[in-house]
Amino acid sequence: NSELKPAVQSAPGWKLFGKVPPRENLQKDSKIIQQEYEARTGRMYKPPPPSTRRKNIEFEPLSTTALILEDRPANLPAKSVEEALRHRQEYDEMVAEAKKREIKEAHKRKKIMRERFKQEENIASAMVIWVNEILPNWEGMRATRRVRELWWQGLPPSVRGKVWSLAVGNELNITPELYEIFLSRAKERWKSFSETTSENDIEGASVADREASLELIKLDISRTFPSLYIFQKGGPYHDLLHSVLGAYTCYRPDVGYVQGMSFIAAVLILNLEEADAFIAFANLLNKPCQLAFFRVDHSMMLKYFAAFEVFFEENLPKLFLHFKSYSLTPDIYLIDWIFTLYSKSLPLDLACRVWDVFCRDGEEFLFRTGLGILRLYEDILLQMDFIHIAQFLTKLPEDITSEKLFSCIAAIQMQNSNKKWAQVFASLMKDNKEGDKNHSPALKS
């Protein structure tokens, strides 16, 4: 443990985000600051001599507000009765205002505490339902209205990982033993990049590609949730994240490592055991939408963007036209959101709640969330030009709350001319003609 702290502090990557961990969180008192100043400058600080000016009064006022209640010094004209009364009135008003503010702040704190207690009670009661009723009868209950409504409200953290695993499934039939096999292969390759065997060619990736993947993993891990300080070198989850990503590049050399994967793996590691996180990660990335994006399948990505724009125009026609007027295409903001499943763009607790419903509803919810974000900030975005919109959507405000976002997501109707997302996407898949109208310039090259 003695080596842990320096390693964390010297971790690369934080500076890329403009965040260097603070050396000390303790606030210095004035004496320490004074001593540091003297040591630095070599000068001794002499406090000014106590003032003799106010010797004739019985007390020193504790605040500037008290000054108006004092009598003037003997060498100045005394206050008139009217002035003294006015000063007393002004002072009373200030005290009353301060009390009013204090009461208001106390009520605000009470309200926040009440909401927090209520939230904790809801989580505790929901956890009992999930553990005792839903999870033991998963297949029979997962699609019921009651479970879907409870799911929408967010999963209790203690069952989140288990529910995600069940919802994502394991179509690839990966076992913990298989994970260990690919992990040991990854460790062998970390030791020596240069070994080439015929096996490499069979697996469909050159040594150079795999070497690039492993280097990219190292760089990306340092940039994953930098403010948490747990995935960077020396942090408690650094090796775990490295293992899951390294094993995946050996398991799927055809996909390899793509930027953004580290965020998905990190969220899973925070909620699941190592082998379970790998199983969920591999299965999640095998879903059609994730596979299309991580393989950078341009034609499939364009179909996803085209489907998104159908519902964008349906739900937010004014903003849709505003984006069109600047030729601002979905790839500019959606790629980053989809690649990291919002875990980089949203606060972590909110991203986990988006993941909850994504596990319930599938890929449709990723695009519905995107529309929810656009709806939430519609008024602001309508005032912006191309550059400012792109910058704003790349770095969303940090004060975004789950209540506001989820009420906006709930208001998004995923229906167009009686067609749902799956039907709209299916009709786009059937249509082999790729009209220029739906092409994103960033993906044409």
Side-chain angles (χ1 to χ4, degrees):
N1 286 345
S2 60
E3 292 175 15
L4 182 62
K5 197 173 178 182
V8 171
Q9 286 183 354
S10 64
W14 285 322
K15 285 187 181 178
L16 295 170
F17 281 76
K19 288 185 183 179
V20 178
R23 288 174 185 271
E24 292 176 10
N25 290 326
L26 296 171
Q27 286 193 337
K28 299 175 184 175
D29 63 28
S30 54
K31 277 187 182 175
I32 294 170
I33 293 167
Q34 183 186 323
Q35 286 163 7
E36 285 179 359
Y37 169 77
E38 286 167 4
R40 205 165 55 246
T41 60
R43 284 187 235 159
M44 289 292 286
Y45 172 73
K46 290 178 185 175
S51 173
T52 53
R53 183 173 163 263
R54 307 181 71 83
K55 285 278 170 78
N56 61 333
I57 59 172
E58 290 177 9
F59 67 94
E60 283 290 333
L62 295 176
S63 70
T64 52
T65 55
L67 287 170
I68 62 173
L69 297 178
E70 291 181 33
D71 291 329
R72 290 203 182 106
N75 60 329
L76 292 173
K79 289 181 185 180
S80 66
V81 177
E82 290 83 4
E83 192 179 7
L85 281 170
R86 193 176 77 249
H87 282 180
R88 164 58 68 181
Q89 192 181 345
E90 285 172 359
Y91 177 72
D92 289 344
E93 282 172 6
M94 279 194 283
V95 170
E97 195 60 42
K99 277 184 181 173
K100 209 187 286 180
R101 273 201 306 273
E102 209 174 293
I103 291 165
K104 197 177 176 183
E105 285 297 317
H107 281 312
K108 198 177 174 183
R109 283 195 299 272
K110 240 181 189 176
K111 191 184 175 187
I112 290 167
M113 287 303 288
R114 271 202 309 270
E115 283 172 1
R116 195 175 291 167
F117 284 136
K118 191 181 173 186
Q119 196 179 9
E120 284 171 6
E121 280 175 13
N122 289 344
I123 289 170
S125 59
M127 187 192 73
V128 172
I129 296 167
W130 279 100
V131 171
N132 296 336
E133 296 178 40
I134 302 167
L135 290 174
N137 307 294
W138 175 250
E139 288 305 327
M141 288 191 74
R142 65 179 293 180
T144 62
R145 188 174 175 177
R146 181 189 171 214
V147 170
R148 286 180 65 81
E149 282 174 3
L150 199 61
W151 206 330
W152 173 269
Q153 290 161 24
L155 298 169
S158 56
V159 299
R160 180 167 268 150
K162 180 70 177 167
V163 175
W164 285 359
S165 283
L166 288 167
V168 170
N170 187 10
E171 284 181 2
L172 299 170
N173 295 316
I174 302 169
T175 59
E177 292 74 28
L178 194 63
Y179 166 63
E180 290 298 332
I181 290 166
F182 285 110
L183 178 58
S184 61
R185 282 193 200 175
K187 284 177 177 174
E188 281 169 27
R189 288 186 180 123
W190 291 333
K191 283 177 190 172
S192 173
F193 288 142
S194 57
E195 287 177 20
T196 54
T197 62
S198 58
E199 185 188 49
N200 288 339
D201 299 322
I202 295 163
E203 287 178 359
S206 69
V207 174
D209 286 344
R210 195 171 284 113
E211 198 170 325
S213 267
L214 295 173
E215 282 302 309
L216 192 54
I217 288 172
K218 205 184 290 182
L219 176 65
D220 248 18
I221 286 174
S222 69
R223 302 187 294 204
T224 304
F225 298 121
S227 60
L228 295 181
Y229 309 139
I230 56 174
F231 293 107
Q232 287 64 33
K233 197 161 179 64
Y237 290 106
H238 172 270
D239 293 348
L240 209 56
L241 183 54
H242 204 256
S243 296
V244 169
L245 295 172
Y248 183 77
T249 60
C250 291
Y251 174 67
R252 290 299 298 265
D254 57 320
V255 179
Y257 178 78
V258 183
Q259 274 185 300
M261 283 183 180
S262 64
F263 279 88
I264 296 175
V267 173
L268 290 168
I269 284 166
L270 289 173
N271 289 280
L272 289 159
E273 293 298 320
E274 184 176 350
D276 293 329
F278 177 80
I279 293 166
F281 181 71
N283 279 279
L284 195 55
L285 265 54
N286 200 49
K287 304 285 180 192
C289 180
Q290 274 60 53
L291 211 51
F293 276 77
F294 282 113
R295 276 180 158 171
V296 196
D297 183 336
H298 286 192
S299 67
M300 279 292 283
M301 288 167 80
L302 288 168
K303 286 182 179 72
Y304 277 109
F305 294 144
F308 173 80
E309 288 201 299
V310 168
F311 293 97
F312 186 0
E313 187 175 16
E314 180 77 26
N315 285 277
L316 305 163
K318 207 173 168 184
L319 190 62
F320 177 79
L321 289 173
H322 183 64
F323 277 28
K324 278 284 178 191
S325 70
Y326 284 113
S327 301
L328 199 145
T329 49
D331 53 284
I332 289 165
Y333 49 94
L334 268 186
I335 284 178
D336 199 41
W337 293 352
I338 303 296
F339 265 119
T340 61
L341 301 179
Y342 295 96
S343 54
K344 187 181 172 185
S345 320
L346 296 174
L348 185 57
D349 58 337
L350 181 49
C352 284
R353 200 175 155 193
V354 168
W355 279 46
D356 291 344
V357 188
F358 162 58
C359 288
R360 186 193 80 169
D361 294 354
E363 64 185 38
E364 174 187 324
F365 190 72
L366 294 178
F367 297 94
R368 193 179 177 192
T369 299
L371 292 172
I373 291 168
L374 296 180
R375 184 187 174 94
L376 179 59
Y377 295 112
E378 182 176 18
D379 294 341
I380 301 167
L381 294 167
L382 284 168
Q383 309 303 317
M384 293 181 177
D385 59 14
F386 182 100
I387 296 292
H388 290 98
I389 292 169
Q391 287 174 342
F392 183 88
L393 295 177
T394 302
K395 186 163 173 48
L396 295 168
E398 288 177 13
D399 62 353
I400 185 169
T401 64
S402 60
E403 290 76 22
K404 284 181 183 174
L405 178 59
F406 269 77
S407 68
C408 286
I409 295 171
I412 297 295
Q413 298 300 312
M414 296 303 276
Q415 201 154 315
N416 174 263
S417 305
N418 293 326
K419 281 185 179 179
K420 293 186 176 178
W421 169 269
Q423 293 165 306
V424 168
F425 189 73
S427 65
L428 284 163
M429 289 292 286
K430 281 179 194 171
D431 184 14
N432 292 323
K433 295 172 188 174
E434 293 180 0
D436 289 337
K437 193 172 107 175
N438 290 324
H439 278 202
S440 296
L443 289 170
K444 277 185 181 178
S445 50

